[in-house]
Amino acid sequence: MKEECGVFGIVGSGGAAALSYLGLYSLQHRGQESSGIITSDGESMYEHKAMGLVSEVFTEEILKGLKGDIAIGHNRYSTTGMSRLVNAQPFMVNCKIGKIAIAHNGNLINAAFLRAGMEKKGSIFRSGMDSEVILHLIAKSRKKNITEMIIDALRQVEGSYSAVFLLEDRVIAARDPHGFRPLCIGKLDDSVVFASESCAFDILEAEYTGEVAPGEICIATRDRFESIQFSEPADPLSKCIFEYIYFSRPDSRVFGENVDKVRRKIGRRLSQESPVDADMVISVPDSSNTIALGYANQSGIPFELGLIRNHYVGRTFIQPEQAARDWDIRIKFNPVRGVLEGRRIIVVDDSIVRGSTMKKLVAMLRGAGASEIHLRIGSPLITHSCYFGIDTPTTGELIASRYSLEEIRDFLEVESLAYISLEGLRSCVKEREDYCVACFSGDYPLCGEAVERGERGCQGCGGGNRSGFGE
Ligand code: SF4
């Protein structure tokens, strides 16, 4: 599983670009391919985006040039559209209402269908992104004002979106009726702030005040905040449960709950469901740290740091002939031989996707002297691809879609292997029916509705084709 995207928006604060930069810094884990900020001073809009990390994309000089007290920002991990600058966000167009920009986290499953229809009628698209479809729909809308035009566009798209729009005098934030992705609201003095996760507020010392509700649109200007429920929230909702397992930072609050708390519960439940006698619990850092702590606390087996993660990997180019065996995993993790040698270890990780990385990791831990390796996984078996904004391999590439638990254990060469049960995972969150669990169950919350209307954009229930275009 790969990260998705991080969005940020702020209204009414001098130096909006610098504040957006800090917010995006905190959201870096949600996307590392490109980053961008667009600002407005009420008269003009200023834009900068480039490929790379937030720290690589912006300089002091660039931020100074992004004038104004209103801004939106975006960190991208591509789920549709290739990893190219043309697909970097925020994405801005000039249309009959003037300039409008979007920063979008999610994936529209009927985007290809809608795009094909518009192209037939002569629309010209500049990018391969599904997000551009929303801007085209806004530009074509016959509604009278911008809020109604955005609502009109959103009512035509299917899928997941937590999005912020920038206009000269406002930021508009919207979340799909299923609530797949989080979108938090905060307050910084008299300014309104929006962000994918609340950790972006902490760095600004902004106060978390809540979330944009599923099916809600929030309009923030310098002196006004208005909210409209543009669609009934789906019943049940489909909040992505993987936000708690892996995507969100543990210090964030998303979907109204503290991520760290939920992760610890997952670890405790995993220990209750699949106990094993061992000398220590180690995590695969960083996302599994809190799940492993929960497991250790519940089992009474000490938590140790048996794997060290290199945080400064960035982009690495190694010629095949120079590469040590399994260099890709060795460059990221190093086992602590003094901790592991001769010990029976429980290794806690958040998920297993293809299984190839885990196999290398197990071999590395064995090479460092671990005498027994018991693997415990904080998600159920991932058997289906995601179509709602997370980059997963096709269903056929997922190891759990092809092999039984015992076959996976055998392939990974571990003494024991256990995953948390779906019921166990659900018991760790409040309002347990309001979560999407499609990648474990194949029970997709949305495709069926789109198919019925002849808007099929993905083959999630059977085919495993991506819903994107332009790739
Ligand atoms: Fe999240 Fe899985 Fe649902 Fe995708 S399919 S939204 S990763 S729970």
mmCIF file of all heavy atoms in Angstrom, residues 141-175:
data_model
loop_
_atom_site.group_PDB
_atom_site.id
_atom_site.type_symbol
_atom_site.label_atom_id
_atom_site.label_comp_id
_atom_site.label_asym_id
_atom_site.label_seq_id
_atom_site.Cartn_x
_atom_site.Cartn_y
_atom_site.Cartn_z
ATOM 1 N N SER A 141 -20.902 24.158 -15.592
ATOM 2 C CA SER A 141 -22.151 24.265 -14.839
ATOM 3 C C SER A 141 -22.922 25.544 -15.195
ATOM 4 O O SER A 141 -22.337 26.603 -15.417
ATOM 5 C CB SER A 141 -21.863 24.256 -13.327
ATOM 6 O OG SER A 141 -23.047 24.520 -12.627
ATOM 7 N N ARG A 142 -24.232 25.413 -15.218
ATOM 8 C CA ARG A 142 -25.072 26.598 -15.520
ATOM 9 C C ARG A 142 -25.608 27.254 -14.252
ATOM 10 O O ARG A 142 -26.452 28.152 -14.312
ATOM 11 C CB ARG A 142 -26.230 26.181 -16.403
ATOM 12 C CG ARG A 142 -25.720 25.691 -17.733
ATOM 13 C CD ARG A 142 -26.817 25.675 -18.745
ATOM 14 N NE ARG A 142 -26.239 25.317 -20.024
ATOM 15 C CZ ARG A 142 -26.894 24.724 -20.987
ATOM 16 N NH1 ARG A 142 -28.153 24.438 -20.807
ATOM 17 N NH2 ARG A 142 -26.306 24.422 -22.119
ATOM 18 N N LYS A 143 -25.169 26.776 -13.105
ATOM 19 C CA LYS A 143 -25.656 27.356 -11.845
ATOM 20 C C LYS A 143 -25.142 28.791 -11.707
ATOM 21 O O LYS A 143 -24.171 29.192 -12.356
ATOM 22 C CB LYS A 143 -25.185 26.513 -10.661
ATOM 23 C CG LYS A 143 -25.710 25.091 -10.701
ATOM 24 C CD LYS A 143 -27.184 25.036 -10.382
ATOM 25 C CE LYS A 143 -27.672 23.596 -10.457
ATOM 26 N NZ LYS A 143 -29.107 23.474 -10.327
ATOM 27 N N LYS A 144 -25.789 29.518 -10.756
ATOM 28 C CA LYS A 144 -25.551 30.968 -10.727
ATOM 29 C C LYS A 144 -24.300 31.395 -9.975
ATOM 30 O O LYS A 144 -23.654 32.363 -10.313
ATOM 31 C CB LYS A 144 -26.778 31.645 -10.110
ATOM 32 C CG LYS A 144 -27.951 31.682 -11.055
ATOM 33 C CD LYS A 144 -29.027 32.606 -10.490
ATOM 34 C CE LYS A 144 -30.367 32.283 -11.095
ATOM 35 N NZ LYS A 144 -31.045 31.166 -10.424
ATOM 36 N N ASN A 145 -23.990 30.709 -8.868
ATOM 37 C CA ASN A 145 -22.806 31.163 -8.126
ATOM 38 C C ASN A 145 -21.826 30.006 -7.931
ATOM 39 O O ASN A 145 -22.165 28.846 -8.165
ATOM 40 C CB ASN A 145 -23.209 31.794 -6.784
ATOM 41 C CG ASN A 145 -23.852 30.769 -5.864
ATOM 42 O OD1 ASN A 145 -23.303 29.699 -5.619
ATOM 43 N ND2 ASN A 145 -25.033 31.095 -5.361
ATOM 44 N N ILE A 146 -20.647 30.347 -7.472
ATOM 45 C CA ILE A 146 -19.565 29.359 -7.458
ATOM 46 C C ILE A 146 -19.862 28.178 -6.533
ATOM 47 O O ILE A 146 -19.567 27.030 -6.852
ATOM 48 C CB ILE A 146 -18.189 30.012 -7.122
ATOM 49 C CG1 ILE A 146 -17.078 28.954 -7.171
ATOM 50 C CG2 ILE A 146 -18.176 30.745 -5.812
ATOM 51 C CD1 ILE A 146 -16.913 28.234 -8.482
ATOM 52 N N THR A 147 -20.485 28.445 -5.384
ATOM 53 C CA THR A 147 -20.800 27.340 -4.486
ATOM 54 C C THR A 147 -21.738 26.359 -5.172
ATOM 55 O O THR A 147 -21.512 25.144 -5.148
ATOM 56 C CB THR A 147 -21.453 27.870 -3.182
ATOM 57 O OG1 THR A 147 -20.566 28.820 -2.607
ATOM 58 C CG2 THR A 147 -21.691 26.756 -2.193
ATOM 59 N N GLU A 148 -22.772 26.893 -5.813
ATOM 60 C CA GLU A 148 -23.723 26.009 -6.512
ATOM 61 C C GLU A 148 -23.061 25.286 -7.673
ATOM 62 O O GLU A 148 -23.379 24.141 -7.971
ATOM 63 C CB GLU A 148 -24.915 26.834 -7.023
ATOM 64 C CG GLU A 148 -25.890 27.183 -5.918
ATOM 65 C CD GLU A 148 -27.061 28.000 -6.456
ATOM 66 O OE1 GLU A 148 -27.317 27.940 -7.667
ATOM 67 O OE2 GLU A 148 -27.690 28.703 -5.651
ATOM 68 N N MET A 149 -22.134 25.959 -8.336
ATOM 69 C CA MET A 149 -21.428 25.317 -9.462
ATOM 70 C C MET A 149 -20.575 24.145 -8.975
ATOM 71 O O MET A 149 -20.527 23.080 -9.594
ATOM 72 C CB MET A 149 -20.539 26.344 -10.182
ATOM 73 C CG MET A 149 -21.337 27.366 -10.972
ATOM 74 S SD MET A 149 -20.350 28.818 -11.395
ATOM 75 C CE MET A 149 -19.599 28.258 -12.902
ATOM 76 N N ILE A 150 -19.913 24.341 -7.832
ATOM 77 C CA ILE A 150 -19.088 23.256 -7.285
ATOM 78 C C ILE A 150 -19.981 22.090 -6.848
ATOM 79 O O ILE A 150 -19.712 20.925 -7.130
ATOM 80 C CB ILE A 150 -18.204 23.762 -6.112
ATOM 81 C CG1 ILE A 150 -17.134 24.720 -6.640
ATOM 82 C CG2 ILE A 150 -17.546 22.590 -5.383
ATOM 83 C CD1 ILE A 150 -16.244 25.342 -5.576
ATOM 84 N N ILE A 151 -21.088 22.428 -6.185
ATOM 85 C CA ILE A 151 -22.019 21.378 -5.750
ATOM 86 C C ILE A 151 -22.544 20.612 -6.963
ATOM 87 O O ILE A 151 -22.610 19.381 -6.970
ATOM 88 C CB ILE A 151 -23.179 21.984 -4.922
ATOM 89 C CG1 ILE A 151 -22.644 22.496 -3.575
ATOM 90 C CG2 ILE A 151 -24.297 20.958 -4.708
ATOM 91 C CD1 ILE A 151 -23.657 23.261 -2.738
ATOM 92 N N ASP A 152 -22.884 21.357 -8.010
ATOM 93 C CA ASP A 152 -23.370 20.741 -9.248
ATOM 94 C C ASP A 152 -22.337 19.748 -9.790
ATOM 95 O O ASP A 152 -22.675 18.625 -10.200
ATOM 96 C CB ASP A 152 -23.630 21.874 -10.263
ATOM 97 C CG ASP A 152 -24.361 21.381 -11.495
ATOM 98 O OD1 ASP A 152 -25.112 20.403 -11.369
ATOM 99 O OD2 ASP A 152 -24.173 21.973 -12.576
ATOM 100 N N ALA A 153 -21.075 20.151 -9.760
ATOM 101 C CA ALA A 153 -20.005 19.270 -10.257
ATOM 102 C C ALA A 153 -19.845 18.050 -9.349
ATOM 103 O O ALA A 153 -19.744 16.907 -9.827
ATOM 104 C CB ALA A 153 -18.685 20.047 -10.323
ATOM 105 N N LEU A 154 -19.852 18.277 -8.051
ATOM 106 C CA LEU A 154 -19.621 17.172 -7.112
ATOM 107 C C LEU A 154 -20.738 16.137 -7.173
ATOM 108 O O LEU A 154 -20.511 14.953 -6.932
ATOM 109 C CB LEU A 154 -19.458 17.704 -5.681
ATOM 110 C CG LEU A 154 -18.233 18.589 -5.448
ATOM 111 C CD1 LEU A 154 -18.187 19.079 -4.006
ATOM 112 C CD2 LEU A 154 -16.936 17.854 -5.786
ATOM 113 N N ARG A 155 -21.931 16.592 -7.498
ATOM 114 C CA ARG A 155 -23.054 15.640 -7.577
ATOM 115 C C ARG A 155 -22.909 14.702 -8.774
ATOM 116 O O ARG A 155 -23.583 13.695 -8.853
ATOM 117 C CB ARG A 155 -24.379 16.398 -7.649
ATOM 118 C CG ARG A 155 -24.746 16.967 -6.282
ATOM 119 C CD ARG A 155 -26.180 17.441 -6.249
ATOM 120 N NE ARG A 155 -26.537 17.857 -4.900
ATOM 121 C CZ ARG A 155 -27.194 18.963 -4.595
ATOM 122 N NH1 ARG A 155 -27.578 19.781 -5.544
ATOM 123 N NH2 ARG A 155 -27.479 19.255 -3.339
ATOM 124 N N GLN A 156 -22.040 15.050 -9.708
ATOM 125 C CA GLN A 156 -21.867 14.197 -10.894
ATOM 126 C C GLN A 156 -20.715 13.209 -10.754
ATOM 127 O O GLN A 156 -20.596 12.285 -11.531
ATOM 128 C CB GLN A 156 -21.618 15.074 -12.125
ATOM 129 C CG GLN A 156 -22.809 15.963 -12.454
ATOM 130 C CD GLN A 156 -22.466 16.928 -13.563
ATOM 131 O OE1 GLN A 156 -22.224 16.527 -14.690
ATOM 132 N NE2 GLN A 156 -22.449 18.213 -13.248
ATOM 133 N N VAL A 157 -19.846 13.421 -9.780
ATOM 134 C CA VAL A 157 -18.697 12.505 -9.661
ATOM 135 C C VAL A 157 -18.981 11.439 -8.607
ATOM 136 O O VAL A 157 -19.732 11.659 -7.654
ATOM 137 C CB VAL A 157 -17.379 13.257 -9.340
ATOM 138 C CG1 VAL A 157 -17.022 14.200 -10.467
ATOM 139 C CG2 VAL A 157 -17.460 13.997 -8.014
ATOM 140 N N GLU A 158 -18.364 10.285 -8.817
ATOM 141 C CA GLU A 158 -18.492 9.159 -7.885
ATOM 142 C C GLU A 158 -17.099 8.802 -7.400
ATOM 143 O O GLU A 158 -16.151 8.804 -8.177
ATOM 144 C CB GLU A 158 -19.066 7.934 -8.613
ATOM 145 C CG GLU A 158 -20.535 8.021 -8.945
ATOM 146 C CD GLU A 158 -21.416 7.825 -7.727
ATOM 147 O OE1 GLU A 158 -20.893 7.418 -6.659
ATOM 148 O OE2 GLU A 158 -22.619 8.081 -7.837
ATOM 149 N N GLY A 159 -16.996 8.473 -6.144
ATOM 150 C CA GLY A 159 -15.698 8.036 -5.642
ATOM 151 C C GLY A 159 -15.333 8.787 -4.391
ATOM 152 O O GLY A 159 -16.208 9.240 -3.641
ATOM 153 N N SER A 160 -14.045 8.904 -4.175
ATOM 154 C CA SER A 160 -13.601 9.536 -2.936
ATOM 155 C C SER A 160 -12.993 10.893 -3.237
ATOM 156 O O SER A 160 -12.204 11.040 -4.171
ATOM 157 C CB SER A 160 -12.572 8.642 -2.240
ATOM 158 O OG SER A 160 -11.459 8.416 -3.059
ATOM 159 N N TYR A 161 -13.385 11.873 -2.484
ATOM 160 C CA TYR A 161 -12.734 13.180 -2.586
ATOM 161 C C TYR A 161 -12.834 13.921 -1.269
ATOM 162 O O TYR A 161 -13.886 14.032 -0.672
ATOM 163 C CB TYR A 161 -13.310 14.023 -3.743
ATOM 164 C CG TYR A 161 -14.803 14.209 -3.730
ATOM 165 C CD1 TYR A 161 -15.394 15.229 -2.999
ATOM 166 C CD2 TYR A 161 -15.627 13.349 -4.440
ATOM 167 C CE1 TYR A 161 -16.771 15.400 -2.992
ATOM 168 C CE2 TYR A 161 -17.011 13.512 -4.433
ATOM 169 C CZ TYR A 161 -17.571 14.534 -3.708
ATOM 170 O OH TYR A 161 -18.937 14.691 -3.691
ATOM 171 N N SER A 162 -11.678 14.351 -0.808
ATOM 172 C CA SER A 162 -11.583 15.371 0.219
ATOM 173 C C SER A 162 -10.789 16.457 -0.470
ATOM 174 O O SER A 162 -9.597 16.263 -0.756
ATOM 175 C CB SER A 162 -10.851 14.846 1.457
ATOM 176 O OG SER A 162 -11.750 14.105 2.248
ATOM 177 N N ALA A 163 -11.449 17.560 -0.792
ATOM 178 C CA ALA A 163 -10.833 18.535 -1.697
ATOM 179 C C ALA A 163 -10.947 19.941 -1.139
ATOM 180 O O ALA A 163 -11.887 20.266 -0.418
ATOM 181 C CB ALA A 163 -11.514 18.472 -3.070
ATOM 182 N N VAL A 164 -9.943 20.769 -1.474
ATOM 183 C CA VAL A 164 -10.045 22.201 -1.189
ATOM 184 C C VAL A 164 -9.923 22.959 -2.512
ATOM 185 O O VAL A 164 -9.104 22.611 -3.360
ATOM 186 C CB VAL A 164 -8.969 22.696 -0.179
ATOM 187 C CG1 VAL A 164 -9.329 22.275 1.226
ATOM 188 C CG2 VAL A 164 -7.575 22.219 -0.529
ATOM 189 N N PHE A 165 -10.786 23.956 -2.687
ATOM 190 C CA PHE A 165 -10.780 24.798 -3.884
ATOM 191 C C PHE A 165 -10.340 26.201 -3.461
ATOM 192 O O PHE A 165 -10.724 26.676 -2.392
ATOM 193 C CB PHE A 165 -12.190 24.905 -4.478
ATOM 194 C CG PHE A 165 -12.773 23.589 -4.913
ATOM 195 C CD1 PHE A 165 -13.475 22.781 -4.011
ATOM 196 C CD2 PHE A 165 -12.631 23.141 -6.219
ATOM 197 C CE1 PHE A 165 -14.026 21.572 -4.404
ATOM 198 C CE2 PHE A 165 -13.176 21.926 -6.630
ATOM 199 C CZ PHE A 165 -13.874 21.135 -5.724
ATOM 200 N N LEU A 166 -9.563 26.839 -4.337
ATOM 201 C CA LEU A 166 -9.145 28.220 -4.066
ATOM 202 C C LEU A 166 -9.754 29.155 -5.099
ATOM 203 O O LEU A 166 -9.660 28.904 -6.308
ATOM 204 C CB LEU A 166 -7.617 28.325 -4.124
ATOM 205 C CG LEU A 166 -7.049 29.733 -3.954
ATOM 206 C CD1 LEU A 166 -7.079 30.161 -2.485
ATOM 207 C CD2 LEU A 166 -5.610 29.815 -4.464
ATOM 208 N N LEU A 167 -10.394 30.205 -4.605
ATOM 209 C CA LEU A 167 -10.833 31.291 -5.483
ATOM 210 C C LEU A 167 -10.159 32.553 -4.957
ATOM 211 O O LEU A 167 -9.526 32.519 -3.911
ATOM 212 C CB LEU A 167 -12.356 31.411 -5.453
ATOM 213 C CG LEU A 167 -12.979 30.226 -6.196
ATOM 214 C CD1 LEU A 167 -13.703 29.330 -5.249
ATOM 215 C CD2 LEU A 167 -13.875 30.719 -7.305
ATOM 216 N N GLU A 168 -10.331 33.662 -5.670
ATOM 217 C CA GLU A 168 -9.598 34.868 -5.264
ATOM 218 C C GLU A 168 -9.875 35.274 -3.826
ATOM 219 O O GLU A 168 -9.009 35.755 -3.123
ATOM 220 C CB GLU A 168 -9.935 36.029 -6.205
ATOM 221 C CG GLU A 168 -8.939 36.087 -7.341
ATOM 222 C CD GLU A 168 -9.193 37.215 -8.294
ATOM 223 O OE1 GLU A 168 -10.120 38.020 -8.060
ATOM 224 O OE2 GLU A 168 -8.452 37.282 -9.287
ATOM 225 N N ASP A 169 -11.127 35.063 -3.374
ATOM 226 C CA ASP A 169 -11.485 35.573 -2.050
ATOM 227 C C ASP A 169 -11.894 34.475 -1.069
ATOM 228 O O ASP A 169 -12.423 34.778 -0.011
ATOM 229 C CB ASP A 169 -12.654 36.561 -2.189
ATOM 230 C CG ASP A 169 -13.908 35.866 -2.698
ATOM 231 O OD1 ASP A 169 -13.783 34.752 -3.257
ATOM 232 O OD2 ASP A 169 -15.009 36.409 -2.509
ATOM 233 N N ARG A 170 -11.668 33.201 -1.405
ATOM 234 C CA ARG A 170 -12.156 32.156 -0.498
ATOM 235 C C ARG A 170 -11.499 30.798 -0.730
ATOM 236 O O ARG A 170 -10.944 30.543 -1.804
ATOM 237 C CB ARG A 170 -13.671 32.004 -0.631
ATOM 238 C CG ARG A 170 -14.130 31.480 -1.978
ATOM 239 C CD ARG A 170 -15.624 31.635 -2.155
ATOM 240 N NE ARG A 170 -16.012 33.036 -2.154
ATOM 241 C CZ ARG A 170 -17.266 33.459 -2.040
ATOM 242 N NH1 ARG A 170 -18.242 32.603 -1.923
ATOM 243 N NH2 ARG A 170 -17.537 34.750 -2.048
ATOM 244 N N VAL A 171 -11.630 29.973 0.295
ATOM 245 C CA VAL A 171 -11.302 28.547 0.141
ATOM 246 C C VAL A 171 -12.587 27.778 0.400
ATOM 247 O O VAL A 171 -13.330 28.081 1.349
ATOM 248 C CB VAL A 171 -10.202 28.094 1.133
ATOM 249 C CG1 VAL A 171 -10.071 26.578 1.150
ATOM 250 C CG2 VAL A 171 -8.860 28.714 0.764
ATOM 251 N N ILE A 172 -12.869 26.825 -0.472
ATOM 252 C CA ILE A 172 -14.051 25.989 -0.293
ATOM 253 C C ILE A 172 -13.570 24.556 -0.104
ATOM 254 O O ILE A 172 -12.761 24.051 -0.890
ATOM 255 C CB ILE A 172 -14.989 26.103 -1.524
ATOM 256 C CG1 ILE A 172 -15.506 27.557 -1.627
ATOM 257 C CG2 ILE A 172 -16.143 25.117 -1.425
ATOM 258 C CD1 ILE A 172 -16.424 27.829 -2.797
ATOM 259 N N ALA A 173 -14.025 23.907 0.958
ATOM 260 C CA ALA A 173 -13.597 22.533 1.244
ATOM 261 C C ALA A 173 -14.799 21.609 1.104
ATOM 262 O O ALA A 173 -15.911 21.962 1.504
ATOM 263 C CB ALA A 173 -13.046 22.449 2.658
ATOM 264 N N ALA A 174 -14.587 20.431 0.515
ATOM 265 C CA ALA A 174 -15.710 19.504 0.323
ATOM 266 C C ALA A 174 -15.259 18.066 0.539
ATOM 267 O O ALA A 174 -14.112 17.714 0.243
ATOM 268 C CB ALA A 174 -16.282 19.654 -1.083
ATOM 269 N N ARG A 175 -16.182 17.249 1.042
ATOM 270 C CA ARG A 175 -15.877 15.835 1.294
ATOM 271 C C ARG A 175 -17.003 14.986 0.712
ATOM 272 O O ARG A 175 -18.184 15.342 0.828
ATOM 273 C CB ARG A 175 -15.752 15.632 2.798
ATOM 274 C CG ARG A 175 -15.263 14.270 3.189
ATOM 275 C CD ARG A 175 -14.734 14.295 4.616
ATOM 276 N NE ARG A 175 -14.647 12.966 5.149
ATOM 277 C CZ ARG A 175 -14.932 12.639 6.382
ATOM 278 N NH1 ARG A 175 -15.318 13.571 7.244
ATOM 279 N NH2 ARG A 175 -14.821 11.398 6.796
#
